[in-house]
Amino acid sequence: MKNFNVLKIRNCIWKRTTFFVVLLIFVSFNAFSQRIVHVKSGTELSSVILGDTTDSGDRVDVNTIYELERDGFYPIAKEINLNTTLHIRAEEGNGALPAIYPQKDASNKYPKVINAHGNVILENIYLSNANGPDANPKWGGFRVAGENSRVILKGCQFEYDKASTVQFRANNIKLYMTNCIAAKTGNYAAYNGN
């Protein structure tokens, strides 16, 4: 009788342990799954990213990746200013890098493109800070102002900024850059050059 009760208790513990392990695996898959939002070429990108919020103003999913079409063009009418991770990448396949560039806003001014206060991940993106069709560079189109932020740039091309390609405006920001090009950038007439 005593052995039967011990066996019954062991069986119960085994079932509960198995249940918790399966539950843990399920939760971990959901915790690390990423939501991908495909954005069509020609779409004003800042409205998609900044509008991707719940009624309370929180991000729908902080693990979202915004995937852009190859050979696509993505105007920015309002600076992308987030406190959470911003992840933008090109779709798989051939074709030119998706181009992100500022366009005039409602007050007839060109906005900064990215002014992040969290982590930033850009993969295979062309980012221009040109002021309209004459490609007149502006100051600081890509800024990171979140302390301890991480910036990961892979296969990107950055052009037309009178300041640095990426401006760091907080302490302890780390930049990881692989196979990127920064062109038509800087301003020797600025104080101490750039």
Side-chain angles (χ1 to χ4, degrees):
M1 184 75 168
K2 187 176 180 184
N3 288 340
F4 178 73
N5 286 337
V6 170
L7 189 60
K8 192 173 180 183
I9 290 171
R10 283 184 184 164
N11 196 16
C12 183
I13 291 172
W14 174 252
K15 284 181 182 178
R16 285 188 180 172
T17 304
T18 304
F19 170 77
F20 284 120
V21 168
V22 170
L23 181 64
L24 180 63
I25 290 170
F26 178 75
V27 169
S28 65
F29 277 130
N30 284 337
F32 297 108
S33 65
Q34 296 195 304
R35 175 176 164 254
I36 298 174
V37 174
H38 299 280
V39 185
K40 293 207 171 284
S41 177
T43 303
E44 196 280 307
L45 187 58
S46 59
S47 64
V48 173
I49 294 171
L50 297 174
D52 195 15
T53 58
T54 63
D55 291 339
S56 66
D58 295 325
R59 306 280 300 146
V60 169
D61 185 346
V62 294
N63 290 318
T64 299
I65 299 173
Y66 299 95
E67 190 169 78
L68 311 185
E69 294 178 352
R70 292 279 182 165
D71 299 313
F73 292 94
Y74 296 88
I76 299 285
K78 185 175 182 182
E79 75 180 28
I80 300 172
N81 191 336
L82 297 175
N83 292 323
T84 58
T85 297
L86 172 64
H87 190 164
I88 304 173
R89 73 179 183 201
E91 67 184 354
E92 291 292 326
N94 298 321
L97 301 179
I100 299 174
Y101 59 92
Q103 75 173 15
K104 287 184 180 178
D105 60 15
S107 62
N108 209 29
K109 294 180 181 174
Y110 290 95
K112 305 277 184 229
V113 179
I114 296 173
N115 189 12
H117 291 80
N119 299 328
V120 179
I121 303 166
L122 300 180
E123 300 177 82
N124 299 311
I125 298 295
Y126 170 84
L127 192 147
S128 170
N129 195 34
N131 237 351
D134 58 352
N136 182 22
K138 298 188 350 272
W139 296 96
F142 183 3
R143 297 176 176 192
V144 181
E147 196 162 327
N148 299 311
S149 293
R150 300 293 175 262
V151 181
I152 300 170
L153 310 172
K154 297 178 183 176
C156 295
Q157 183 172 346
F158 304 94
E159 289 189 329
Y160 299 110
D161 200 308
K162 278 188 178 176
S164 51
T165 300
V166 183
Q167 282 189 8
F168 293 161
R169 297 183 154 237
N171 293 326
N172 302 317
I173 297 172
K174 291 193 177 174
L175 171 68
Y176 304 92
M177 185 182 277
T178 307
N179 296 329
C180 293
I181 297 171
K184 303 175 188 125
T185 298
N187 183 1
Y188 290 108
Y191 176 71
N192 285 334
N194 236 329

